[in-house]
Amino acid sequence: MKRILFYLLCFCIGLFFGGCSAPKKLTGSKQETAKVSEQTAETTTGKNSLFIDTTKTARGEVVYTKIEFYPPEPTTEPGQVNNEATPVASTPNKHPPNTGAIKSIETLTIKKETEEKGVTENQSSAETSKATNIEGETAKKEETAAEPAKDPYRYRYIFGILVIVIAAGTAVYFWLRKTKAVTSIVSFFKRIF
């Protein structure tokens, strides 16, 4: 019996150290965050003015002066008679000479001023500007941890070890119950209680 208990105890200890160990597996978590923001601003402004004055002004002045003279006095001496007759129809139209006394002076002034108004106006404006701002932020977080893998037979091992421990404990109890030291301790507790 001692031999069986010794082998049984060695088997339980070997099973405890060898059967409950499980390989470790690596677990990891990876977290990646990307944040991108884009801003676009477009502005259109402008101004163009064109003003042309096309006013035409014309000024003119005409001065007309008419001077009339008395006919010249005959150049005959007081004792002579001028018998020469000059036919009126045969005389060519000639201006009288500017000699003699002035009979009249007539002045006519004609002033002419014309103004033709004209305005050309052109206004246009255009200006375009575009600004783009792109901002990006990336964050990575990686964690790797080693943890034992769950053994699918672990509950079987635990149950087996409990059965063996209970069996060994029962055998040890019945063996120790027959010894004198244990019987005296048991009788002491029976008297107290």
Side-chain angles (χ1 to χ4, degrees):
M1 177 96 167
K2 287 183 182 181
R3 198 181 276 177
I4 293 173
L5 280 175
F6 178 71
Y7 288 130
L8 191 60
L9 186 61
C10 287
F11 178 72
C12 287
I13 291 173
L15 188 63
F16 180 73
F17 285 116
C20 289
S21 67
K24 293 185 178 184
K25 75 172 185 180
L26 294 175
T27 59
S29 67
K30 188 176 186 181
Q31 183 180 8
E32 187 171 332
T33 306
K35 187 180 190 184
V36 177
S37 66
E38 180 177 346
Q39 295 177 344
T40 302
E42 188 170 333
T43 307
T44 303
T45 57
K47 187 176 181 180
N48 184 12
S49 296
L50 177 66
F51 181 78
I52 301 173
D53 186 8
T54 57
T55 303
K56 295 178 184 177
T57 304
R59 292 187 179 119
E61 184 174 322
V62 176
V63 178
Y64 173 74
T65 305
K66 179 181 178 183
I67 302 173
E68 286 185 23
F69 294 95
Y70 285 110
E73 289 184 18
T75 55
T76 59
E77 293 185 17
Q80 281 185 340
V81 178
N82 190 1
N83 290 335
E84 292 181 21
T86 56
V88 176
S90 66
T91 57
N93 190 7
K94 290 185 180 178
H95 295 292
N98 293 337
T99 56
I102 296 176
K103 184 178 183 182
S104 69
I105 296 177
E106 186 178 321
T107 302
L108 177 66
T109 303
I110 300 172
K111 291 182 179 179
K112 183 178 181 184
E113 183 174 330
T114 59
E115 184 174 84
E116 194 176 311
K117 298 244 179 197
V119 173
T120 302
E121 187 173 327
N122 183 10
Q123 292 182 351
S124 64
S125 62
E127 182 181 324
T128 302
S129 66
K130 186 175 184 180
T132 303
N133 186 14
I134 298 173
E135 293 180 6
E137 183 179 314
T138 304
K140 283 186 179 182
K141 184 179 180 183
E142 250 182 78
E143 291 181 11
T144 304
E147 64 181 42
K150 294 183 179 180
D151 189 9
Y153 300 114
R154 69 177 180 255
Y155 295 110
R156 286 185 192 173
Y157 296 141
I158 293 171
F159 180 70
I161 292 171
L162 282 176
V163 168
I164 293 171
V165 168
I166 290 172
T170 306
V172 170
Y173 172 73
F174 284 114
W175 176 64
L176 288 177
R177 194 173 97 177
K178 294 182 180 179
T179 62
K180 287 186 177 188
V182 174
T183 53
S184 64
I185 293 172
V186 170
S187 65
F188 174 74
F189 279 116
K190 283 184 180 177
R191 286 184 205 156
I192 295 176
F193 294 112

